[in-house]
Amino acid sequence: MRRLFFMLFFALCFSVPGVGQSKKNADPRLQREFNEAKQLFQQGKSNEAINKLQHVLRLDEHFALAHFALADIYHWEKKPEQEEIHLKAGLKTDSVSYPQGFYFLASLQYKKGVYDSAVVNLKKYFRLPPKKENDAKHLLKAAEFASYAVKHPIPFHPENLGPNINTKENEYWPSLNAEANQLVFTRLITVDSTGRPLRFPQEDFYSSYLDSTGWSVAKALGSPVNTPDNEGAQCISANGDLLFFTACNRKGGYGSCDIYFTMKRNGKWMKPLNLMAPVNTKGWESQPSVTADGRYLYFSSNRRGGKGKMDIWRAERTSITPSGLPVYGKVTNVEAVNTPGNESSPFIHADGKTLYFASDYWPGLGGNDLFVSRNEGDGFSVPKNLGYPINTNEDDEGLIVDVTGENAYFASNREGYGGKDIFHFVLPEELRPDAVSYVAGKVFDAETSQPLSPMVQIINLKNDSVFEETRPDVLNGKFLLCLPAGKNYGLNVETPGYLFYSEHFDLRDSYEKSKPYQLAIALQPVKAGSVTALRNVFFDTDSATLKPESFPQLNQVVAFMKKNPEWTVEISGHTDNTGTEAHNLELSKQRAESVVSFLETKGISAQRLVAKGYGATKPVAGNNTADGRARNRRTEFRLLKKIEDNR
């Protein structure tokens, strides 16, 4: 709309003699030169038109129409300083005839961060006829917000990540794994190894690892991910094994830019694959961000059906191929955050509900500002501007936040090593997402120590649903899964030939972000004497009554018993050393019997089940700490003998 206003404004200036100057009639000679300037401009001779108009002003500096015409020309030539000078001069001479001049002046002032002046000039504009444009109303709202934000700054102390990450080239689009010890980013290479400028700058991915000495020297991700073409706007999955990124104009692509992905197998990245339809279209798809559980992929696109120029969309993972590759579909518009303008650079935090993104339309400080919106289960909230000085009158985008919610990373061309650098800062409390922990583990054979790759599932014990699942790396047996705070989780690990394994993570009331769960999971082969703890079997305090949260684990036991009908098992109860020995012994026996009774109701023969209580006689941890006592209060499942061995 603004460009159209300027064209109409300039045309009006040149077609209505005498309007917009001082109240006295125009000098015929000046009017003639003004008309000559009009003809020069229409012929595309802007410089000659400027010279002619400047000559008019040397003869009469109060010729408002000449000032407005020069402002219009300088606008098209992208010379905002000269444009502002002549808008001010014209409005000083004539503040009534052209109210749009106040709007255009306010637009310039807003762009360069002079917000109070922008508000003043917009209010002058609204006091004058004619009918006001919606763009002006939108600008006033933004300028008033920006003025308030600058007067109420939030804590912001960015720190450069240093020379191992940043160089004289441009570094941007940081992305982190859940452990925050691997950083993948985009670097724009503009010179070759000899320092000569490249004909075509090259975007590639680089990676750095964090240890006790800091970030390592970043190294190129290499082939087959990096290619002679450009790769950029990437995100890495929580476990570090999936990389989504943007590539444009590639053979077999769907549109100008598509989203691709690659998976790490046996420690190496696979050849990238196009994510295909319906994620990619004939339009522009870019800037992917995947949830910690891999279930949703957020991205920016100008595809058809959106609310504005670029919108944020979300694709749902619909399946996983037999080879472990994700398939995404069910693409929906994230309507609550999108506007008639541009929304871009989405980042979905590991809590699965806090979305950070950039917008040039929601009230901000100019250009692209960073915003946050939260989905508490009933859709995303009205976006909140991150405030000043995180946001400025420059373009601000590409923010990510680690799983703790405290540490944010972004790219900026502020003082650094050259070009854009990657910075870190502590995110103010009110802008943080929910706390997220994670469980990092290694699965291996208890007898041979060889790594295993079974299915690992996180279960929401409240509704017995699979919250997240993965398979460990086949080479080292390692895996990582995120655990948003506020829920009661169970972990199940099972694979043919081994006893199942379980753990319990209760994050409903407390959360130690500095202490993620580190597990060494030794799976016991299916043979006599093998034992596993039923960590997700729960009883009422000092009681043998099973809690409903126990049923997912007990159903797992039932499934194992039915798949292995030849085995007899012992269900044993154990307590800590609180209370008398006799009481603990009786309580542990009753709890074992409760589990056996449940299994019998599910069709498991009583002849295959033995209940035994051990009280506090077989601790697995010290009883001098709350955690140790909790580990000792357990129910165990032990293989005894095959039924055929008893014949």
Side-chain angles (χ1 to χ4, degrees):
M1 288 297 290
R2 181 179 178 184
R3 289 189 176 182
L4 179 60
F5 287 157
F6 264 99
M7 282 299 291
L8 291 176
F9 184 56
F10 192 69
L12 184 62
C13 287
F14 283 145
S15 61
V16 185
V19 177
Q21 62 187 84
S22 58
K23 293 182 180 179
K24 64 181 180 179
N25 293 328
D27 184 313
R29 184 176 55 139
L30 296 182
Q31 186 64 52
R32 185 171 53 254
E33 292 201 36
F34 185 86
N35 290 335
E36 290 174 0
K38 169 189 174 181
Q39 293 175 355
L40 289 169
F41 178 77
Q42 290 175 334
Q43 295 168 6
K45 299 177 180 179
S46 296
N47 288 337
E48 289 89 337
I50 290 173
N51 291 335
K52 184 69 68 174
L53 291 169
Q54 288 175 338
H55 180 257
V56 170
L57 290 173
R58 282 194 294 271
L59 297 175
D60 183 359
E61 64 178 355
H62 298 296
F63 199 109
L65 210 55
H67 283 297
F68 291 134
L70 280 169
D72 198 37
I73 295 174
Y74 285 131
H75 171 76
W76 289 106
E77 292 192 344
K78 297 183 170 32
K79 296 179 178 179
E81 292 182 1
Q82 293 95 322
E83 179 187 354
E84 182 177 359
I85 289 171
H86 288 285
L87 280 173
K88 286 181 176 179
L91 291 168
K92 183 178 180 180
T93 298
D94 185 345
S95 62
V96 177
S97 299
Y98 292 95
Q100 286 178 327
F102 288 110
Y103 168 59
F104 299 142
L105 178 58
S107 297
L108 291 172
Q109 292 168 333
Y110 172 76
K111 279 189 174 181
K112 70 177 187 179
V114 186
Y115 304 117
D116 287 346
S117 296
V119 171
V120 169
N121 284 309
L122 282 166
K123 289 182 177 179
K124 289 179 179 178
Y125 168 69
F126 279 106
R127 285 196 291 266
L128 296 169
K131 182 181 178 181
K132 303 306 179 285
E133 303 295 337
N134 288 332
D135 282 358
K137 296 177 183 178
H138 178 76
L139 182 61
L140 177 59
K141 186 176 181 180
E144 288 177 333
F145 167 82
S147 175
Y148 177 86
V150 169
K151 294 168 186 173
H152 299 82
I154 62 173
F156 180 60
H157 306 287
E159 297 179 355
N160 193 296
L161 289 191
N164 286 352
I165 303 294
N166 297 312
T167 67
K168 292 181 180 179
E169 303 284 15
N170 288 289
E171 285 81 23
Y172 44 91
W173 288 114
S175 55
L176 279 174
N177 62 348
E179 293 179 280
N181 61 6
Q182 182 184 10
L183 177 73
V184 178
F185 60 92
T186 301
R187 178 177 288 166
L188 179 65
I189 308 298
T190 60
V191 296
D192 62 19
S193 57
T194 66
R196 293 181 178 179
L198 294 174
R199 183 179 179 185
F200 299 105
Q202 172 71 35
E203 278 186 311
D204 277 337
F205 297 132
Y206 282 72
S207 180
S208 175
Y209 292 87
L210 182 67
D211 59 24
S212 59
T213 63
W215 290 104
S216 64
V217 176
K219 295 182 179 179
L221 220 54
S223 178
V225 182
N226 289 341
T227 69
D229 295 321
N230 291 323
E231 297 83 26
Q234 83 296 334
C235 73
I236 193 168
S237 62
N239 62 10
D241 288 342
L242 269 173
L243 185 74
F244 296 86
F245 65 93
T246 308
C248 303
N249 302 314
R250 290 198 172 179
K251 184 178 180 181
Y254 284 68
S256 57
C257 291
D258 284 357
I259 296 175
Y260 290 74
F261 77 101
T262 177
M263 177 177 284
K264 189 180 290 184
R265 287 281 176 80
N266 302 331
K268 296 181 179 180
W269 292 106
M270 298 170 54
K271 182 179 179 180
L273 299 172
N274 190 299
L275 209 53
M276 300 190 298
V279 172
N280 291 320
T281 68
K282 292 181 180 180
W284 179 91
E285 280 79 34
S286 183
Q287 304 168 352
S289 178
V290 67
T291 56
D293 59 6
R295 192 169 300 176
Y296 296 104
L297 184 77
Y298 291 78
F299 60 97
S300 183
S301 174
N302 64 358
R303 66 207 291 144
R304 292 183 178 181
K307 292 178 65 176
K309 300 171 185 176
M310 284 193 297
D311 278 10
I312 293 174
W313 300 76
R314 187 180 79 172
E316 183 176 354
R317 188 182 63 198
T318 54
S319 63
I320 299 176
T321 68
S323 59
L325 301 179
V327 178
Y328 286 89
K330 297 183 180 179
V331 177
T332 56
N333 188 287
V334 188
E335 293 187 6
V337 305
N338 291 320
T339 70
N342 293 288
E343 278 67 48
S344 60
S345 65
F347 170 74
I348 186 70
H349 186 256
D351 67 358
K353 64 181 183 181
T354 305
L355 179 68
Y356 298 89
F357 66 97
S359 173
D360 65 1
Y361 192 87
W362 289 101
L365 290 93
N368 280 315
D369 271 22
L370 291 164
F371 294 81
V372 60
S373 177
R374 307 176 198 276
N375 187 348
E376 299 293 349
D378 54 354
F380 281 96
S381 62
V382 175
K384 173 183 175 63
N385 190 294
L386 296 195
Y388 176 84
I390 294 178
N391 288 319
T392 66
N393 62 312
E394 302 291 337
D395 282 335
D396 302 290
E397 55 187 343
L399 180 85
I400 64 170
V401 182
D402 72 0
V403 295
T404 71
E406 292 185 2
N407 301 294
Y409 299 80
F410 72 111
S412 173
N413 58 6
R414 66 190 64 219
E415 185 176 351
Y417 293 88
K420 282 189 174 182
D421 283 359
I422 297 175
F423 290 79
H424 155 266
F425 68 97
V426 176
L427 197 64
E429 188 79 34
E430 66 273 17
L431 301 176
R432 293 179 186 176
D434 283 356
V436 175
S437 185
Y438 63 85
V439 51
K442 178 179 180 181
V443 186
F444 55 93
D445 185 299
E447 295 185 348
T448 67
S449 297
Q450 290 299 308
L452 298 172
S453 185
M455 181 61 72
V456 180
Q457 293 182 326
I458 296 292
I459 306 297
N460 185 339
L461 295 177
K462 182 178 180 179
N463 55 19
D464 190 17
S465 62
V466 176
F467 176 78
E468 192 175 352
E469 62 184 10
T470 189
R471 286 190 181 275
D473 188 291
V474 294
L475 283 185
N476 55 32
K478 292 183 178 180
F479 70 92
L480 184 145
L481 293 169
C482 286
L483 304 171
K487 292 184 175 65
N488 191 18
Y489 300 102
L491 179 141
N492 289 334
V493 183
E494 56 182 320
T495 193
Y498 293 87
L499 284 185
F500 50 84
Y501 175 94
S502 61
E503 275 293 347
H504 176 230
F505 313 110
D506 190 348
L507 301 184
R508 290 172 294 182
D509 300 320
S510 62
Y511 165 67
E512 288 290 338
K513 59 191 170 204
S514 61
K515 296 181 180 179
Y517 299 97
Q518 302 283 348
L519 301 178
I521 301 174
L523 292 188
Q524 301 287 334
V526 175
K527 69 176 188 178
S530 291
V531 60
T532 187
L534 305 180
R535 294 290 181 193
N536 294 309
V537 171
F538 310 102
F539 300 92
D540 290 337
T541 303
D542 202 29
S543 167
T545 301
L546 285 164
K547 290 186 174 183
E549 300 97 304
S550 305
F551 299 156
Q553 173 93 87
L554 294 177
N555 288 329
Q556 183 184 34
V557 174
V558 171
F560 179 89
M561 295 288 288
K562 290 182 177 180
K563 289 178 183 177
N564 300 273
E566 70 276 19
W567 285 98
T568 60
V569 303
E570 175 187 280
I571 304 296
S572 59
H574 301 265
T575 68
D576 58 30
N577 65 353
T578 304
T580 66
E581 182 178 340
H583 175 76
N584 289 335
L585 193 62
E586 180 61 24
L587 178 62
S588 63
K589 179 182 177 183
Q590 291 176 1
R591 287 181 169 178
E593 290 172 344
S594 290
V595 172
V596 166
S597 295
F598 178 92
L599 299 178
E600 289 175 354
T601 65
K602 297 295 183 177
I604 306 301
S605 171
Q607 295 180 345
R608 299 177 60 199
L609 301 168
V610 175
K612 191 166 183 179
Y614 290 92
T617 61
K618 293 189 174 183
V620 293
N623 281 301
N624 56 335
T625 66
D627 182 65
R629 291 189 293 273
R631 301 293 293 179
N632 289 332
R633 297 190 299 271
R634 68 196 188 280
T635 303
E636 289 184 341
F637 177 94
R638 181 187 301 273
L639 295 178
L640 294 177
K641 291 184 179 181
K642 289 186 177 181
I643 294 176
E644 60 186 14
D645 292 342
N646 293 328
R647 295 176 181 175

